[in-house]
């Protein structure tokens, strides 16, 4: 095989500059009650909705390019979990020791395309899995940081607060999400899980500056160009 046909897994870096090779990105929708309500769903009757992004969608950059074919790009700040080991059909108690690290991330969504696809009964993968749609901050190894229920998760745009909640407001905890997901697919080292976003998702414009943070994790900042 010629050198230009070889594929190298994309990587992200932790606080110490160590590389983490990405395998697959999983995301969950409607994991905060208020966000479920703002999307028109009763959280008491909702179950986790999983979808995926390509690993190449994950970037660590101060610049995100506004995607083509959309005029309604939404931000969704999330706690991101990176796995050191995987498994299939494991209980929630088995997952904490399999986590490599944590970061703050933003799930970017082309909301107008998503609505159009949903209305037509078509898959809406292109509204979620486009280039640069999953910016993440620097990763903190699991031995240095663990999510607490009182940790604040926030996102601001041009200094204006848009999203804020506590991690304890998640409907399903990190371990519970991993348990449920592992009953659907085989999880592996290199898998990344975006754990859902709180209420307050809204549009981004070209020229906006986004700041996303979770207490104890490095802040994620980027400009939309």
């Amino acid at each position: 095989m010629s050198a230009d046909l070889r594929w190298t897994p994309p990587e992200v870096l932790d606080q110490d500059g160590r590389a983490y090779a990405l395998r697959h990105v999983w995301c969950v929708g409607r994991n905060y009650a208020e966000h479920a309500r703002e999307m028109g769903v009763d959280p008491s009757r909702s179950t986790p909705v999983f979808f995926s992004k390509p690993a190449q969608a994950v970037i660590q950059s101060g610049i995100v390019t506004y995607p083509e074919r959309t005029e309604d790009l939404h931000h969704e700040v999330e706690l991101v979990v990176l796995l050191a080991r995987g498994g299939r059909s494991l209980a929630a108690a088995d997952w904490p020791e399999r986590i490599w690290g944590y970061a703050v991330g933003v799930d970017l969504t082309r909301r107008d395309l998503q609505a159009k696809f949903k209305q037509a009964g078509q898959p809406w993968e292109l509204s979620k899995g486009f280039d640069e749609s999953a910016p993440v901050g620097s990763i903190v190894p699991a031995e240095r940081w663990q999510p607490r229920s009182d940790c604040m998760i926030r996102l601001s745009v041009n200094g204006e607060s848009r999203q804020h909640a506590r991690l304890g407001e998640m409907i399903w905890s990190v371990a519970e999400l991993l348990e449920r997901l592992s009953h659907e697919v085989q999880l592996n080292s290199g898998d990344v899980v975006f754990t859902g976003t709180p209420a307050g998702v809204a549009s981004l414009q070209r020229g906006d500056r986004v700041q996303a943070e979770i207490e104890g994790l490095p802040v994620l900042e980027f400009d939309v160009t």
Side-chain angles (χ1 to χ4, degrees):
M1 182 180 293
S2 60
D4 60 349
L5 294 180
R6 292 178 183 151
W7 179 77
T8 301
E11 297 177 337
V12 289
L13 302 178
D14 72 1
Q15 283 183 317
D16 302 322
R18 294 180 299 176
Y20 177 91
L22 301 172
R23 175 183 176 273
H24 197 97
V25 180
W26 292 101
C27 306
V28 63
R30 305 197 296 256
N31 196 26
Y32 288 77
E34 288 304 313
H35 175 58
R37 293 187 184 99
E38 75 177 353
M39 298 301 289
V41 177
D42 181 353
S44 66
R45 300 181 180 181
S46 179
T47 58
V49 176
F50 294 107
F51 59 93
S52 64
K53 292 176 180 270
Q56 294 92 327
V58 179
I59 59 169
Q60 287 180 316
S61 172
I63 295 176
V64 169
T65 305
Y66 197 100
E68 298 180 11
R69 295 189 61 240
T70 187
E71 294 300 328
D72 194 16
L73 179 68
H74 278 204
H75 57 73
E76 301 183 13
V77 63
E78 309 199 14
L79 172 64
V80 178
V81 178
L82 301 96
L83 296 182
R85 290 187 293 144
R88 180 71 192 243
S89 301
L90 298 180
D94 295 325
W95 283 107
E97 64 181 16
R98 296 168 185 264
I99 294 173
W100 191 76
Y102 299 90
V104 59
V106 176
D107 170 17
L108 294 172
T109 304
R110 297 195 284 188
R111 193 71 73 194
D112 48 350
L113 290 187
Q114 186 184 45
K116 176 183 176 181
F117 292 145
K118 284 183 176 181
Q119 187 176 20
Q122 298 172 342
W124 40 269
E125 183 176 2
L126 287 178
S127 70
K128 286 285 192 178
F130 53 94
D131 295 342
E132 303 179 17
S133 62
V136 300
S138 181
I139 305 158
V140 176
E143 61 265 22
R144 299 183 193 170
W145 186 89
Q146 289 289 315
R148 304 188 320 273
S149 60
D150 61 341
C151 283
M152 292 297 300
I153 178 171
R154 303 182 181 92
L155 182 140
S156 63
V157 178
N158 303 325
E160 176 189 354
S161 177
R162 293 276 188 90
Q163 294 182 267
H164 57 88
R166 297 188 185 277
L167 294 181
E169 295 177 42
M170 287 197 291
I171 299 172
W172 301 281
S173 69
V174 169
E176 290 169 336
L177 284 175
L178 293 172
E179 175 183 7
R180 285 174 176 259
L181 183 55
S182 75
H183 282 274
E184 303 292 341
V185 296
Q186 167 76 39
L187 293 173
N188 291 276
S189 172
D191 285 349
V192 179
V193 181
F194 280 65
T195 59
T197 194
V201 300
S203 297
L204 291 170
Q205 307 299 325
R206 295 167 180 85
D208 281 345
R209 181 160 185 80
V210 178
Q211 180 171 311
E213 56 185 310
I214 296 174
E215 288 183 70
L217 294 178
V219 175
L220 167 63
E221 293 181 298
F222 60 87
D223 294 317
V224 182
T225 65

